Amino acid sequence: MKERTFAIIKPDAVRKNVVGEIIAAITQAGFTVLAMKMTRISRAQAAEFYAVHRGRGFFDELVDFMSSGAIVPIVLEKENAVADYRALIGTTDPAEAAEGTIRRMFASSKGENAVHGSDSVENGKNETAFFFAESEIAGNRA
Ligand code: CMP
């Protein structure tokens, strides 16, 4: 069964000008892009998006970083999309990420790690709704 997941190309990757390479790696791995935009979020919006991490030592750094520049939120579809996308991007820390993963290729550090990926279908739905109206997602219209 086709599954959806939600991704973000983060400000570090946008600044490095590797948005195209990252999208190519994602589509070459068999994912279909259902929605995508370049946008920017405020500190308050970043804090809301990452509310689950509030209280963690890296929270302020994370909020500052995610609101520091343009980002590219993306809705993806594929069989087994959540697990396959997380395998494609690699571990949070790029130093530990497997060869060929997006974070190994493009991330700078544990904080500035190039991409986000939802950890479940349910969280993916909520994260998608944070950035996209239903009508902006290809395939959602009759
Ligand atoms: P992501 O998995 O997209 O969502 C949570 C983010 O928190 C994670 O990516 C990292 O960018 C960030 N993060 C996790 N651990 C640390 C850390 N130790 N220091 C800084 N940022 C972190």
Side-chain angles (χ1 to χ4, degrees):
M1 244 239 334
K2 294 258 181 181
E3 189 174 274
R4 289 180 185 183
T5 191
F6 175 77
I8 302 177
I9 302 177
K10 297 187 180 185
D12 59 321
V14 175
R15 280 193 281 270
K16 283 182 188 165
N17 212 16
V18 292
V19 170
E21 281 99 319
I22 290 175
I23 293 166
I26 291 170
T27 53
Q28 276 158 21
F31 292 85
T32 302
V33 175
L34 296 186
M36 175 166 67
K37 64 173 116 182
M38 183 174 275
T39 185
R40 188 167 172 170
I41 54 174
S42 64
R43 287 195 90 263
Q45 286 172 307
E48 189 187 340
F49 184 80
Y50 283 111
V52 49
H53 295 302
R54 197 182 288 279
R56 308 274 290 270
F58 59 82
F59 183 73
D60 287 348
E61 184 189 323
L62 176 60
V63 166
D64 283 344
F65 168 59
M66 287 303 289
S67 59
S68 71
I71 59 173
V72 181
I74 306 170
V75 181
L76 297 170
E77 186 172 74
K78 184 185 178 296
E79 305 263 328
N80 204 34
V82 170
D84 284 2
Y85 179 71
R86 285 174 76 85
L88 177 66
I89 65 178
T91 54
T92 303
D93 186 348
E96 290 166 12
E99 200 66 52
T101 59
I102 290 175
R103 282 175 171 157
R104 179 66 176 259
M105 291 189 284
F106 300 112
S108 320
S109 66
K110 215 169 175 177
E112 306 209 351
N113 63 358
V115 283
H116 166 81
S118 301
D119 60 5
S120 68
V121 170
E122 190 58 31
N123 284 341
K125 269 188 197 164
N126 294 334
E127 292 171 359
T128 295
F130 193 91
F131 286 98
F132 294 100
E134 282 290 317
S135 61
E136 291 180 292
I137 301 167
N140 276 4
R141 277 197 267 199

